Amino acid sequence: MKKILCIVGTRPEAIKMAPVILALKKTHWADVRVLATAQHRQMLDQVLNYFDIKADIDLDIMRPNQALTTLTARLLLKLDGVLVGEKPDAVIVQGDTTTVMSAALAAFYHQIPVGHVEAGLRTGDIRNPFPEEANRVITGKLAQWHFAPTEEARQNLLKEHLPNQDIIVTGNTVIDALLMTASMDLELGVECDPEKRLVLVTLHRRENFGEPFRSICKALQRLALDNPTVQFLYPVHPNPNVKDVAYEFLGSVSNFILCDPLDYAPFVAAMKEAYMILTDSGGVQEEAPALAKPVLVFREETERPEAVAEGVVKLVGSNYERIIKEVQLLLDDAGAYRKMARGVSPYGDGEAADRIVRTLQKYFS
Ligand code: UD1
Ligand code: UDP
């Protein structure tokens, strides 16, 4: 048996790693161990519970309003101790968070091979998104296997001179998780007005903190006041830099429902019910096109250009007037809406986890 240590820290990592963990558990050769750094506490637990995955090791790292340097330092020290004790044959990480970069570095120091799920996403600007682009570049340099979701991601890695034979295009495991979930009977569990079109909102990016975030919230407030027949639903990220501003601007707008983060299944239900989605999330940019939902992204650039090229995701940044114009267009213009609601899924076919497991199996046999 080969000991495979799957490391997850935040909500999106757990959603996208779950299909890999579940697929590894079905094999006869892998002794799967799950390490939760718990960089996110409540949101990570929500996802692990939903997929019925129990962490074998829990570092309980999260602190309120944690700073990047202390988070990284604490992660490195604790991960080092685990790697010394566990001696895994491989470490698998997913995405671009501080957990991912720290885990890849700690494993590298112990000369343990690292598999990077969702490798090769790049904006080309090391400061944007912050700090994720740096996390991806560092993890890419350290990893042994690069599980790229798309051909474009593979090309990004080749441009960085990573060996062709170590890059495997698998699709994104987010589509595996989405398909597992979307086909079930789902309940949103939040009372929205069924007569109104639903606009789903999520926001959390660090580079939007401060003025950009206030500008986005002001635009959302204006849109809700101008469109009383539209229902806005916004499950608010618990980061205080997000939550405080969101409640300040939107907390008392009658057609704006603010709620705690939704469990994954109710969130998928919300995406399915939505007329359109407004977000700065990476994962939501990948899921929504597969559900034929138009997405407007509150960012100036994206490392997920495939859906933008398809015309089903549009970047609108954080400018007040631009956001109002683009949202209003999709609310008012059926033709513009139809062009973006086409149900193209450039990020995967639901088989990514199997491809990842087959690569690992081949290596170890
Ligand atoms: C992190 C990732 C980001 C990812 C996002 C997904 C880093 C630096 N950032 O951002 O790449 O897109 O997760 O959501 O790795 N908090 C809670 N409960 C939770 C989770 C967070 O209270 O379950 C609060 C805490 O006060 C915590 C703060 O949010 O300190 C920030 O969490 P952190 O993981 O540092 O950053 P995110 O903004 O969540
Ligand atoms: N999500 C969720 N509940 C919510 C909001 C989002 O389960 O209330 C899921 C969503 O379906 C997607 C993931 O969380 O799979 C995205 O996480 P997030 O936006 O926090 O991070 P990012 O993808 O930007 O790193």
Side-chain angles (χ1 to χ4, degrees):
M1 297 288 273
K2 294 293 170 189
K3 192 188 273 192
I4 313 292
L5 185 64
C6 296
I7 300 183
V8 290
T10 66
R11 166 172 70 191
E13 291 164 70
I15 291 170
K16 293 171 170 178
M17 187 74 92
V20 180
I21 294 170
L22 298 176
L24 279 169
K25 282 193 179 198
K26 283 195 206 139
T27 70
H28 300 294
W29 59 270
D31 170 15
V32 191
R33 304 273 290 162
V34 177
L35 187 161
T37 66
Q39 174 181 331
H40 282 175
R41 180 71 279 168
Q42 300 84 354
M43 296 205 297
L44 182 73
D45 293 345
Q46 278 183 315
V47 178
L48 293 178
N49 289 340
Y50 170 69
F51 285 101
D52 206 12
I53 293 171
K54 209 181 141 357
D56 300 291
I57 305 153
D58 192 319
L59 303 184
D60 202 22
I61 284 284
M62 194 190 90
R63 296 290 175 269
N65 207 5
Q66 54 208 1
L68 293 176
T69 313
T70 39
L71 174 63
T72 307
R74 293 177 62 242
L75 279 165
L76 275 173
L77 283 175
K78 289 208 177 190
L79 286 163
D80 186 71
V82 172
L83 295 177
V84 169
E86 289 279 319
K87 298 188 176 47
D89 295 293
V91 161
I92 310 295
V93 293
Q94 191 290 328
D96 54 18
T97 68
T98 300
T99 285
V100 174
M101 186 270 291
S102 307
L105 185 57
F108 178 76
Y109 286 156
H110 287 279
Q111 300 188 41
I112 299 165
V114 174
H116 186 204
V117 178
E118 198 182 78
L121 273 59
R122 297 287 185 273
T123 60
D125 175 357
I126 200 73
R127 288 183 184 78
N128 243 319
F130 176 84
E132 290 83 3
E133 179 82 357
N135 288 341
R136 296 173 193 140
V137 172
I138 295 167
T139 305
K141 290 283 175 222
L142 303 173
Q144 155 108 33
W145 304 282
H146 309 271
F147 299 115
T150 62
E151 177 56 29
E152 191 136 356
R154 190 176 89 89
Q155 291 300 330
N156 290 336
L157 294 167
L158 289 175
K159 277 184 218 145
E160 292 176 12
H161 308 293
L162 291 162
N164 191 21
Q165 72 272 14
D166 297 343
I167 307 170
I168 307 98
V169 177
T170 58
N172 198 312
T173 54
V174 77
I175 303 297
D176 301 30
L178 180 69
L179 296 184
M180 276 179 208
T181 305
S183 55
M184 293 175 354
D185 251 350
L186 300 174
E187 270 201 38
L188 170 52
V190 177
E191 268 202 41
C192 294
D193 187 336
E195 303 300 316
K196 292 181 173 168
R197 285 181 292 178
L198 179 67
V199 175
L200 180 64
V201 180
T202 83
L203 277 164
H204 75 277
R205 301 232 74 88
R206 268 182 161 75
E207 66 271 18
N208 277 340
F209 287 177
E211 204 33 58
F213 192 55
R214 297 176 79 80
S215 162
I216 295 167
C217 286
K218 275 186 221 164
L220 291 173
Q221 183 192 61
R222 185 73 262 151
L223 281 160
L225 294 172
D226 288 349
N227 296 277
T229 60
V230 174
Q231 173 79 75
F232 291 79
L233 171 63
Y234 174 10
V236 183
H237 192 290
N239 191 324
N241 301 289
V242 173
K243 195 171 178 175
D244 296 351
V245 184
Y247 275 88
E248 179 190 334
F249 284 97
L250 306 167
S252 55
V253 181
S254 65
N255 54 336
F256 229 107
I257 299 177
L258 301 186
C259 63
D260 286 342
L262 295 172
D263 282 353
Y264 185 55
F267 188 76
V268 172
M271 285 195 288
K272 285 177 79 172
E273 281 183 30
Y275 176 77
M276 70 166 132
I277 302 177
L278 313 178
T279 190
D280 61 9
S281 162
V284 175
Q285 284 178 65
E286 295 155 345
E287 295 163 326
L291 298 171
K293 304 299 172 174
V295 185
L296 299 182
V297 178
F298 299 124
R299 290 177 56 185
E300 308 298 340
E301 39 46 53
T302 181
E303 57 289 297
R304 294 163 170 92
E306 294 86 351
V308 177
E310 289 281 358
V312 296
V313 167
K314 196 188 259 187
L315 301 177
V316 298
S318 57
N319 178 273
Y320 176 86
E321 279 87 17
R322 171 108 203 265
I323 293 170
I324 292 181
K325 185 170 145 255
E326 298 285 1
V327 175
Q328 203 63 56
L329 177 73
L330 288 186
L331 287 174
D332 295 343
D333 183 335
Y337 180 83
R338 264 197 310 276
K339 278 192 203 151
M340 289 190 75
R342 287 190 287 106
V344 290
S345 179
Y347 299 109
D349 60 0
E351 308 284 328
D354 284 342
R355 293 186 188 104
I356 290 166
V357 170
R358 281 203 297 275
T359 303
L360 295 173
Q361 180 165 6
K362 202 163 141 205
Y363 175 84
F364 283 116
S365 61

